Amino acid sequence: MSASIAATGRAVFSPLGGAAAPDGAAVAARSGESAVPDGAAVALNVGDTWLRPFEAGRMEALRCAEVPGLHRYCDTQGIAALLEAVVQKLRAQGARGAARETVLACAGATSGLACAVSALADPGESVLLLAPFWPLIRGVVRSQRATPVELPFFDRIATPGEATAALEAACPPGCVALYFSNPSNPTGRVLAPEMVEALADFARRRDLWILCDEVYEDYAFQGECVSAARFAPERTISAFSFSKAYGMAGNRCGYLLTPNASVCDGIHRASVHSAYHAPTAAQWAGLRALQSGADWLARARSFYRQAGEAAAAALKLPAPEGGCFLFFDVAARLDERGMTGFLEDCWQRGVLLAPGASSGQGYESWVRLCYTAVPPQEAEQAARRVAELL
Amino acid sequence: MSASIAATGRAVFSPLGGAAAPDGAAVAARSGESAVPDGAAVALNVGDTWLRPFEAGRMEALRCAEVPGLHRYCDTQGIAALLEAVVQKLRAQGARGAARETVLACAGATSGLACAVSALADPGESVLLLAPFWPLIRGVVRSQRATPVELPFFDRIATPGEATAALEAACPPGCVALYFSNPSNPTGRVLAPEMVEALADFARRRDLWILCDEVYEDYAFQGECVSAARFAPERTISAFSFSKAYGMAGNRCGYLLTPNASVCDGIHRASVHSAYHAPTAAQWAGLRALQSGADWLARARSFYRQAGEAAAAALKLPAPEGGCFLFFDVAARLDERGMTGFLEDCWQRGVLLAPGASSGQGYESWVRLCYTAVPPQEAEQAARRVAELL
């Protein structure tokens, strides 16, 4: 772009829906585990957790004297100990293709997925997104000059047969990849194994990569949550994150499982030229999470499940099957002010929600509520305040 | 890319030249400040520092109880306190355009520059690189689907008149930006203010953005180091980093100064869709560096200057004017094994160097030596061992 043609107007950056993520500097710490401020609106628009990381996984537990090279560059693929722990974790889950040369530490799952799109999709090629989707993915695809194609799915496709028919109808020529999150952000749905198998079969038939967003894998409350890699390991790039699972969203660290070393290399190259490498300290924190975070995780899962069930009950919705969100249609409540007015009404009642439009076309009258951003009781109270508006 | 066409062969990722950056897990900590291992080869191929960050800027000094939202998402532009401190720092340096809406915290200068290229260059447009250059920039430009055009400069252009003539001859149609680092990585040259002004004038005449890599601004030992923003603030994107200045390379945090809010917004959008935001803890560490890192910086500058002078003397080179590197031609010493053989000979004498080819075409017989990666005496000894080979 010529320097004389500056971008016009302020863009809306927040994938979180209108309001930006809360600024750390503006969030007063509360005693105990919660970092939620007193007195402010309850920010359920952000996909975050109210829990602090377990003690050994906090920055203050990473000591120069104990952690070599803590503030220095590291291997751009990831520190060896983390890669090894990731391989062990994935193999224990049944991922036989997990090996030192097929996993990549990335600067958050966002960076990992952006690098995967960069490596696997040429400009103008399409990526099929199962909607409603994680609000960032559409921009991630566009930012890599590829074309997002949206397929409404999670709220309406019930059977593998319906899935295959819908995919056949929606998948354009020049499509190179299929993206979906499971458990689903924002719907909270956990896809049944036979559904994931149908997606994998379709991808194989059409020779698509599968970008399988598994950042909520640890928060499946109902049903069996399986990876597409179980059915199509030769074409699945799985994205994982320490952000959601261990309360380390600010750390910006996740990892990818790729089908083979050459795909991993291609994504690694994109990572080197955009992030250089995942933050070193965050990788050590992630390693500690894999080594000793199990108890914290079990406790968090219990909190989150309780919060999800209570918030859903308050809103007369089915309990979420997984993830951190409720996603529901408020069309009947919208007046001439549209979604903006509804979000303002929620805000006046002290609750921030995210608009559904960022999760796909056709979801303009839906909203997303993150029930893990505050302690369960606060989430339930906030859900009640929203319910009163409906 | 179709899933059936996997990338072929293992790519060479390391912009550091052949050998990867040292893996934190494999580096034994030594007592005191140095994190350099005993007994291993001296890794002068990597642009890193042997010094640990000052105490208040270490991860272990960032405590949950004191730093709100330390492990959580933050404002994707950067935490407010850091942005404010950056604005104050830049204004104190004379950057009148520095304001809350024109600065962006980024996940390292690498990410910031990648996002700037993404926002400002369309696929197929060119970016003119003054060579020899920072080894990553060529791949950064290519990764964004733009075309790098190389202009040998730092080792041969002495006057503003020569610079203008060389730029006129090299700048292709469809060029949208000019990139250079000052102090220069890898040459150690500090461009005179009138040279920077000539570059800025040329950019204005050709309506180019200027990507001004200032990550070594704190390590200018001779002459006055000025930013292109002094002469062409309306088109200069300056990249800064805490990595080099404060020994925080692993943290992955830097910042950009942009010409105006709309350019900043465009780069911010690319950042959200690739990095989401700079790591939260790293931003707090960076804030502390700006608040209380001055003494550490002065001491580091003294160490680095001493190391650079001693290493240069050992190699019979002029003392570096700034930065962290020596860059010199070893053509007379190359045998039929070429650069690989020379690097192997260095390695056998316990010194790792980076090959010049990664800094530009025409520098295949040059090598880069980072004299700040180990304590000054070790750097000098390593330089002597290299000198014995010449």
Side-chain angles (χ1 to χ4, degrees), chain A residues 209-228:
Chain A
W209 299 103
I210 301 172
L211 303 176
C212 191
D213 183 343
E214 306 185 43
V215 303
Y216 296 105
E217 61 161 348
D218 293 308
Y219 297 112
F221 310 128
Q222 300 176 31
E224 185 189 4
C225 186
V226 301
S227 171

Side-chain angles (χ1 to χ4, degrees), chain A residues 89-384:
Chain A
K89 174 254 189 192
L90 292 170
R91 285 184 161 263
Q93 291 177 321
R96 282 170 297 181
R100 172 63 192 261
E101 66 272 20
T102 60
V103 298
L104 174 68
C106 48
T110 303
S111 172
L113 286 162
C115 293
V117 174
S118 171
L120 302 174
D122 283 329
E125 292 184 332
S126 299
V127 178
L128 186 58
L129 311 178
L130 299 193
F133 42 71
W134 167 50
L136 270 181
I137 189 63
R138 187 165 49 188
V140 165
V141 170
R142 284 194 184 132
S143 195
Q144 299 300 331
R145 320 280 182 175
T147 305
V149 175
E150 308 182 13
L151 172 60
F153 188 94
F154 289 97
D155 59 315
R156 61 193 74 179
I157 302 292
T159 69
E162 289 171 25
T164 304
L167 286 161
E168 289 287 1
C171 187
C175 184
V176 293
L178 168 67
Y179 166 89
F180 62 94
S181 61
N182 186 33
S184 153
N185 173 358
T187 67
R189 179 173 174 185
V190 173
L191 295 176
E194 55 270 27
M195 184 67 90
V196 177
E197 187 172 16
L199 297 174
D201 287 346
F202 177 81
R204 184 178 293 112
R205 208 155 55 241
R206 293 290 290 264
D207 194 18
L208 306 179
W209 299 103
I210 301 172
L211 303 176
C212 191
D213 183 343
E214 306 185 43
V215 303
Y216 296 105
E217 61 161 348
D218 293 308
Y219 297 112
F221 310 128
Q222 300 176 31
E224 185 189 4
C225 186
V226 301
S227 171
R230 178 189 289 187
F231 306 107
E234 81 286 358
R235 63 189 63 249
T236 298
I237 294 92
S238 292
F240 303 93
S241 171
F242 298 107
S243 298
K244 314 300 178 177
Y246 297 98
M248 299 176 176
N251 288 9
R252 314 310 305 128
C253 187
Y255 52 96
L256 300 182
L257 170 63
T258 69
N260 57 57
S262 63
V263 169
C264 194
D265 283 352
I267 301 174
H268 183 184
R269 192 184 310 119
S271 177
V272 164
H273 292 115
S274 56
Y276 196 49
H277 63 64
T280 306
Q283 292 187 58
W284 284 102
L287 172 61
R288 291 183 172 193
L290 293 178
Q291 288 172 333
S292 59
D295 288 348
W296 189 95
L297 191 62
R299 195 156 143 269
R301 188 187 291 118
S302 167
F303 273 129
Y304 294 171
R305 179 178 193 145
Q306 173 198 343
E309 288 173 355
L315 287 157
K316 300 189 170 58
L317 297 169
E321 296 171 353
C324 297
F325 304 101
L326 298 176
F327 193 67
F328 49 101
D329 193 350
V330 298
R333 170 55 183 72
L334 300 183
D335 57 24
E336 69 286 356
R337 299 170 303 153
M339 179 54 72
T340 305
F342 180 74
L343 294 177
E344 281 176 3
D345 291 349
C346 291
W347 162 256
Q348 286 187 349
R349 290 182 173 241
V351 185
L352 289 176
L353 298 180
S358 21
S359 286
Q361 292 164 21
Y363 299 97
E364 291 78 7
S365 64
W366 294 58
V367 291
R368 190 185 77 168
L369 178 153
C370 175
Y371 53 78
T372 64
V374 296
Q377 283 193 331
E378 291 181 44
E380 183 181 357
Q381 287 165 10
R384 282 189 202 288

Side-chain angles (χ1 to χ4, degrees), chain A residues 73-77 265 268-273 276-277, chain B residues 10-23 43-47 133-140 343 352-359 368:
Chain A
Y73 288 129
C74 68
D75 185 318
T76 54
Q77 189 186 351
D265 283 352
H268 183 184
R269 192 184 310 119
S271 177
V272 164
H273 292 115
Y276 196 49
H277 63 64
Chain B
R10 287 193 76 88
V12 176
F13 293 112
S14 174
L16 314 165
D23 185 334
L44 304 187
N45 56 325
V46 188
F133 42 70
W134 166 53
L136 271 181
I137 188 64
R138 187 166 49 189
V140 165
L343 294 177
L352 290 176
L353 298 180
S358 22
S359 286
R368 191 186 76 169

Side-chain angles (χ1 to χ4, degrees), chain B residues 240-291:
Chain B
F240 303 93
S241 171
F242 297 107
S243 299
K244 314 299 177 176
Y246 297 97
M248 299 176 175
N251 288 10
R252 315 309 305 129
C253 187
Y255 52 97
L256 300 182
L257 170 63
T258 70
N260 57 56
S262 62
V263 170
C264 194
D265 283 352
I267 301 174
H268 183 183
R269 191 183 310 120
S271 177
V272 164
H273 292 115
S274 56
Y276 196 50
H277 64 64
T280 307
Q283 292 187 58
W284 285 102
L287 172 61
R288 292 183 172 194
L290 292 179
Q291 288 172 333

Side-chain angles (χ1 to χ4, degrees), chain B residues 59-130:
Chain B
M59 290 298 156
E60 63 203 69
L62 296 170
R63 299 179 191 284
C64 276
E66 296 161 12
V67 183
L70 180 60
H71 300 91
R72 304 189 79 180
Y73 287 128
C74 69
D75 185 318
T76 55
Q77 189 187 352
I79 60 173
L82 176 64
L83 296 178
E84 184 54 35
V86 163
V87 167
Q88 294 306 320
K89 175 252 189 194
L90 292 170
R91 286 184 161 264
Q93 291 177 322
R96 283 170 297 183
R100 173 62 192 262
E101 66 271 20
T102 60
V103 299
L104 174 68
C106 48
T110 302
S111 172
L113 286 163
C115 293
V117 174
S118 172
L120 302 174
D122 284 330
E125 292 184 330
S126 300
V127 178
L128 186 57
L129 311 178
L130 298 194

Side-chain angles (χ1 to χ4, degrees), chain B residues 89-325:
Chain B
K89 175 252 189 194
L90 292 170
R91 286 184 161 264
Q93 291 177 322
R96 283 170 297 183
R100 173 62 192 262
E101 66 271 20
T102 60
V103 299
L104 174 68
C106 48
T110 302
S111 172
L113 286 163
C115 293
V117 174
S118 172
L120 302 174
D122 284 330
E125 292 184 330
S126 300
V127 178
L128 186 57
L129 311 178
L130 298 194
F133 42 70
W134 166 53
L136 271 181
I137 188 64
R138 187 166 49 189
V140 165
V141 171
R142 284 194 184 131
S143 196
Q144 300 300 331
R145 320 280 182 176
T147 305
V149 176
E150 307 181 13
L151 172 60
F153 188 94
F154 290 98
D155 59 315
R156 61 193 74 179
I157 302 291
T159 68
E162 288 171 25
T164 304
L167 287 161
E168 290 287 1
C171 186
C175 184
V176 294
L178 168 67
Y179 166 89
F180 62 94
S181 60
N182 187 32
S184 153
N185 172 358
T187 67
R189 180 172 173 186
V190 173
L191 296 176
E194 55 270 26
M195 184 67 92
V196 177
E197 186 172 16
L199 296 173
D201 287 346
F202 177 80
R204 184 177 294 113
R205 209 156 52 243
R206 293 291 290 265
D207 195 18
L208 307 179
W209 300 102
I210 301 171
L211 302 175
C212 191
D213 183 344
E214 306 184 43
V215 303
Y216 296 104
E217 61 161 349
D218 293 308
Y219 297 112
F221 310 129
Q222 300 175 31
E224 186 190 4
C225 186
V226 301
S227 171
R230 178 187 290 187
F231 306 106
E234 81 286 357
R235 63 188 63 248
T236 299
I237 294 91
S238 292
F240 303 93
S241 171
F242 297 107
S243 299
K244 314 299 177 176
Y246 297 97
M248 299 176 175
N251 288 10
R252 315 309 305 129
C253 187
Y255 52 97
L256 300 182
L257 170 63
T258 70
N260 57 56
S262 62
V263 170
C264 194
D265 283 352
I267 301 174
H268 183 183
R269 191 183 310 120
S271 177
V272 164
H273 292 115
S274 56
Y276 196 50
H277 64 64
T280 307
Q283 292 187 58
W284 285 102
L287 172 61
R288 292 183 172 194
L290 292 179
Q291 288 172 333
S292 59
D295 289 348
W296 189 95
L297 191 62
R299 195 156 143 268
R301 189 188 291 119
S302 167
F303 274 130
Y304 295 170
R305 179 178 195 147
Q306 173 198 343
E309 288 173 355
L315 287 157
K316 300 190 171 55
L317 297 169
E321 297 171 353
C324 298
F325 304 101

